[in-house]
Amino acid sequence: MRTPFIAGNWKMHKTVAEGVELAAALKTSLADVSSMELAVCPPATAVAAVADVLKGSNIGVGTQNMHWEDQGAYTGEISPLMVKELAQYVIIGHSERRQYFGETDETVNRKLKAALHHGLTPIVCVGESLEQNEAGKTVPFVGSQIRGAFAGISAEEARRVVLAYEPIWAIGTGRTAMPEDANEIIKTAIRNVLTDLYDEETAQAIRVQYGGSVKPHNMAAFIVMPEIDGALVGGASLQAEAFTAIVRNALAAL
Ligand code: PEP
């Protein structure tokens, strides 16, 4: 059984004060949730303060990115050691990082290895563009992202990875994938490739979130899909009410 997992990606939103306020609200509104894993990923500047608010709660904290080196002359970056001091999760290879900041399958792979080495839970994002989708290239493309991300990673390590299938055309657009389509892509482009790379048991153990315009009204339709184990939520994670409703609707549907 894979424990469902819903995480909020706050992207470049929330000052420290705003982040603390949102975290405090979620700590109260979601305090009773025990059958689902929950996390928020604030911008790096707010991670320490948010982690402080959520200490001892059922909501974990993650960063939205990190470098693969422990330290060094990498201006503007944060290292796994720095993440580890404050957080348990790290988002790796979000499509916005790939699109605007030059992340590749190779850097994703390096970051994934570093996260696993340091005991962090990585949330690795994959997903196709609209052009790839319309050209019928989704399955080979997402499959190649999975192969690139997991290169050189053992089955034991792979089981600690969380994946997020996020079609780029669904992120922040209000347009979601059809739940059945997302389920099928996760099955064919993700679990089948993981079975090929490792074995069936490992492929079945890895959690896969759906991401892309998840809102309170559509969460249930995704979480009931057999291959979908939760959600990575962007815009709707910025308000306590919406994120709480997403979690509640997912719980009610399970
Ligand atoms: C995301 O940032 O990963 C995301 C899915 O964003 P949104 O929910 O806003 O589409």
Side-chain angles (χ1 to χ4, degrees), residues 9 11 94 166 170-172 211-214 232-235:
N9 170 17
K11 310 195 186 190
H94 190 282
E166 302 202 302
I171 296 178
S213 297
V214 170
L232 183 57
V233 184

Side-chain angles (χ1 to χ4, degrees), residues 188-202:
T188 52
I190 299 182
R191 293 211 199 277
N192 286 355
V193 171
L194 290 170
T195 303
D196 190 38
L197 288 174
Y198 302 105
D199 52 74
E200 176 74 20
E201 208 183 315
T202 302

Side-chain angles (χ1 to χ4, degrees), residues 20 37 41 51 88 139 162 189 194 238 249:
V20 162
E37 205 167 307
C41 302
Q88 309 84 49
V139 170
V162 175
L194 290 170
L238 296 174
N249 291 350

Side-chain angles (χ1 to χ4, degrees), residues 9-11 91 94-96 125 164 166-167 170-175 210-215 232-237:
N9 170 17
W10 294 0
K11 310 195 186 190
I91 299 174
H94 190 282
S95 62
E96 288 152 13
C125 303
E166 302 202 302
I171 296 178
T173 59
R175 182 182 163 195
Y210 166 79
S213 297
V214 170
K215 309 287 176 206
L232 183 57
V233 184
S237 71

Side-chain angles (χ1 to χ4, degrees), residues 121-145:
T121 298
I123 303 173
V124 178
C125 303
V126 294
E128 82 287 1
S129 67
L130 186 60
E131 295 71 34
Q132 289 164 327
N133 183 281
E134 287 176 344
K137 294 183 175 157
T138 299
V139 170
F141 180 72
V142 173
S144 74
Q145 287 185 314

